[in-house]
Amino acid sequence: MPASRINPVKIVPLGGLGEIGLNLLVLECARHAIIIDAGVMFPEERGLGLGRLLPDVSYLEHSKAQLDAIILTHAHEDHIGALPYLLRKSPAPVYGTDVTLAFVRRALSEEGPVGADLRPLSPGTEVLAGPFSIEPVRVTHSTPDSVALAIRTPAGLIVHSGDFKIDPAPVDGVHFDTERFARLGEEGVALLLSDSTNAELEGHSGSESSLKPVLTSLMRRTRRRFFLSSFSSHLHRIRQLAEVAHETGRYVVPLGRRMAESVRLGMETGQLNLPPGTFIERAEAEFLEPRRLAFLASGSQGEPRSALAKLATDTQPLVRIEEGDVVVLSSRFIPGNERTIHAVINSLYKRGAEVLYEPMAPVHVSGHARREELNELIRLVRPRYFVPIHGEYRHLALHRALAIKSGIAERNCFLLEDGDTLVMNAGEIRRGNSVSAGRLVEDGEELGDPSLIRERRALAQEGTVIAIVAVSTRTGKIVAGPHLLARGVVSGDGTSSHLTRARSELVERLQVLDEYRRSDGAQIRDEMVRALRRYFSNSIGKRPMIVPYVMEV
Ligand SMILES: [Zn+2]
Ligand SMILES: [Zn+2]
């Protein structure tokens, strides 16, 4: 069959290429589509009072393809968090491994009634969806039951790494399936899409299980209570903490609803197989000696309402930090969160705790492959084409350079951002037309577009000036005002004098307008914005948000 008769496959990333988080990739062929992952992201500016960011999937409405399946690689929020939203927009069967589906059920129940057809995914068993056949391949990562995907399409074989590292000693004994990747490589892989999160870091990320001796020695040396803070989805870490606690004679107390839920999901899925009685409720902890207790607290990113933040501000019911307690922050500080995390650490110190975190103590191991492991995956899979995914632009650029260095032809390594597309035809890949991609932002129950972020930022940084004027539409005369109100522009004392001067400049400018223009509300509003912008920019070097209001009488 000539190449043109074979259905091409379109590769459309709508999130995760240009940022860490928000992962969502669409594959299309012959009017059918599948989606890999549907993740969220947390805004860097927490101070703006906005919620999570979600990938804009309006592209799916424009593309007329039928969505046959949503395939999830693992249980992290940046891969499943947008699923309830996606299912409301584009319902389709959802495939995930046991642990992933356990977390998906929780996410779906938290976001109100969202109907979902959940189907099992397990390594070695292929799933058919339209013209695609999807085979999960076992990888190691910071959450158990994570998979990569080998996707057979009419235009060639695609391997999607998911999030991965190559852990030589996984906590659950379930290994990265080197052999399967090598066999896929022999079969002939057209395209590899691979996790770029740690593409800046040389070497090997190290084994998750290397933390166990560290936790053991810390727990043995302290006579007081032990607190460990990590992501609540980090079941490997929770398991290690619980094992060490059990071995050193401590009971484990999960703090906060989400952490307690994770422990329950971990036990339900067999990931936390510990002797009965290892986990106890916080009410039971009251009567136990400090050296018999280990607490699990979410909030390692300094999240304001988390268990750790409540410990820091002494607002946690029944549990308080006391002199000599040890608190371990077992996670990477996500850029943008440092200030809030440091504030939490300062408060914990004030309460007398000893606080340990990276890099002062080796209390965290990343779940993402570093350069040696990235190289190893490329060597195993030997793809003809390569696209770095899951990363900010610099991670993607470095990962692409690494792929070229490891022998993939430079013209076959594409650097894509969200909305850039590729078209694969009989094993050949070229760039396609870009499609619309972007972010939505949660604001309470509502979803807003990025202008909401821009407006909040402007309000937070520059303040706002409201200007009100009444004009006669008949004569063009100013009947009342202008009245000015300012918030967050200058501090209290200066406000009235600045507003008086701004007002007289504004009056002058409005007077200069001829009567015809003064009887047109839109023209007056423009002039008000221009005049006030100029005043505040010249007088105090600020650009407050100007809100003009013209009453036409
Ligand atoms: Zn992950
Ligand atoms: Zn991820």
Side-chain angles (χ1 to χ4, degrees), residues 140-142 144 167-175 207-212 234-241 243 271-272:
T140 41
H141 184 43
S142 45
D167 191 333
V171 170
D172 55 4
V174 180
H175 283 264
S207 176
E208 171 70 25
S209 57
S210 67
L211 284 184
K212 199 165 173 187
H234 205 330
L235 286 180
H236 288 322
R237 193 101 1 127
I238 295 173
R239 173 175 172 156
Q240 297 201 90
L241 180 277
E243 283 175 3
Q271 298 296 328
L272 294 175

Side-chain angles (χ1 to χ4, degrees), residues 185-508:
E186 283 157 23
E187 189 182 326
V189 173
L191 169 66
L192 171 64
L193 302 140
S194 182
D195 177 10
S196 313
T197 310
N198 271 348
E200 288 173 315
L201 302 173
E202 290 299 338
H204 204 279
S205 58
S207 176
E208 171 70 25
S209 57
S210 67
L211 284 184
K212 199 165 173 187
V214 177
L215 293 176
T216 305
S217 80
L218 284 174
M219 261 193 239
R220 282 201 199 285
R221 81 159 162 78
T222 174
R223 310 295 298 161
R224 303 293 307 177
R225 293 175 308 170
F226 190 90
F227 294 82
L228 181 120
S229 185
S230 82
F231 286 118
S232 60
S233 59
H234 205 330
L235 286 180
H236 288 322
R237 193 101 1 127
I238 295 173
R239 173 175 172 156
Q240 297 201 90
L241 180 277
E243 283 175 3
V244 174
H246 180 69
E247 286 158 22
T248 56
R250 288 177 190 260
Y251 294 96
V252 182
V253 190
L255 295 177
R257 188 179 54 87
R258 257 190 122 72
M259 192 57 92
E261 270 281 283
S262 290
V263 168
R264 188 183 64 73
L265 295 178
M267 295 203 281
E268 202 178 278
T269 53
Q271 298 296 328
L272 294 175
N273 270 330
L274 286 134
T278 305
F279 293 98
I280 61 169
E281 304 269 336
R282 77 172 76 189
E284 300 172 72
E286 265 193 292
F287 309 103
L288 290 164
E289 283 178 72
R291 64 183 177 83
R292 305 296 309 278
L293 292 168
F295 295 84
L296 278 166
S298 60
S300 52
Q301 296 304 318
E303 298 93 324
R305 281 178 295 278
S306 66
L308 190 69
K310 285 181 185 163
L311 286 167
T313 52
D314 201 16
T315 49
Q316 184 68 260
L318 301 181
V319 185
R320 62 189 312 184
I321 295 284
E322 285 164 15
E323 191 70 35
D325 287 347
V326 170
V327 182
V328 169
L329 269 62
S330 189
S331 64
R332 184 178 78 100
F333 295 177
I334 295 174
N337 295 345
E338 291 96 339
R339 284 171 61 117
T340 34
I341 300 172
H342 291 154
V344 167
I345 295 175
N346 289 335
S347 303
L348 291 167
Y349 266 112
K350 277 185 197 163
R351 299 192 182 282
E354 180 190 358
V355 192
L356 297 163
Y357 45 93
E358 271 224 300
M360 68 184 279
V363 289
H364 173 65
V365 178
S366 168
H368 297 273
R370 291 191 179 192
R371 293 173 70 84
E372 252 175 50
E373 297 153 89
L374 296 174
N375 230 328
E376 188 170 341
L377 184 65
I378 293 169
R379 274 203 308 273
L380 289 167
V381 172
R382 290 182 284 154
R384 217 173 134 208
Y385 294 88
F386 178 80
V387 173
I389 57 171
H390 303 173
E392 293 181 19
Y393 199 84
R394 66 179 193 280
H395 304 118
L396 304 178
L398 284 166
H399 199 185
R400 176 176 181 267
L402 177 92
I404 294 165
K405 219 171 127 196
S406 76
I408 305 175
E410 187 169 349
R411 63 178 182 285
N412 288 0
C413 296
F414 294 98
L415 193 50
L416 304 184
E417 291 184 272
D418 299 339
D420 293 343
T421 72
L422 292 178
V423 179
M424 178 161 96
N425 212 339
E428 298 282 337
I429 297 182
R430 58 177 174 77
R431 276 182 186 267
N433 297 328
S434 291
V435 306
S436 88
R439 299 164 174 191
L440 300 172
V441 59
E442 282 180 338
D443 184 35
E445 299 286 295
E446 304 291 319
L447 270 184
D449 63 48
S451 68
L452 186 62
I453 305 179
R454 285 196 297 275
E455 283 185 10
R456 286 277 171 95
R457 196 182 292 140
L459 285 171
Q461 288 171 357
E462 312 278 343
T464 182
V465 174
I466 298 164
I468 305 165
V469 70
V471 290
S472 158
T473 43
R474 199 167 44 81
T475 63
K477 277 215 168 67
I478 292 174
V479 183
H483 297 294
L484 299 184
L485 278 164
R487 289 288 181 274
V489 183
V490 276
S491 67
D493 294 350
T495 308
S496 59
S497 62
H498 271 295
L499 289 188
T500 310
R501 268 176 276 154
R503 183 179 182 277
S504 55
E505 261 193 40
L506 180 59
V507 169
E508 256 171 58

Side-chain angles (χ1 to χ4, degrees), residues 12 14 23-28 32-39 55 57 59-60 66-73 79 83 86-87 90 92-95 129 132 134 149 151 160:
V12 187
L14 294 182
N23 301 298
L24 193 149
L25 183 87
V26 186
L27 295 181
E28 278 177 40
H32 287 268
I34 60 172
I35 286 180
I36 299 167
D37 290 335
V57 295
Y59 165 74
L60 296 172
Q66 176 193 321
L67 184 60
D68 292 315
I70 300 164
I71 321 270
L72 304 172
T73 59
H79 298 258
L83 186 67
L86 177 61
L87 285 174
S90 308
V94 178
Y95 292 85
F132 300 99
I134 303 111
L149 303 169
I151 304 152
H160 183 295

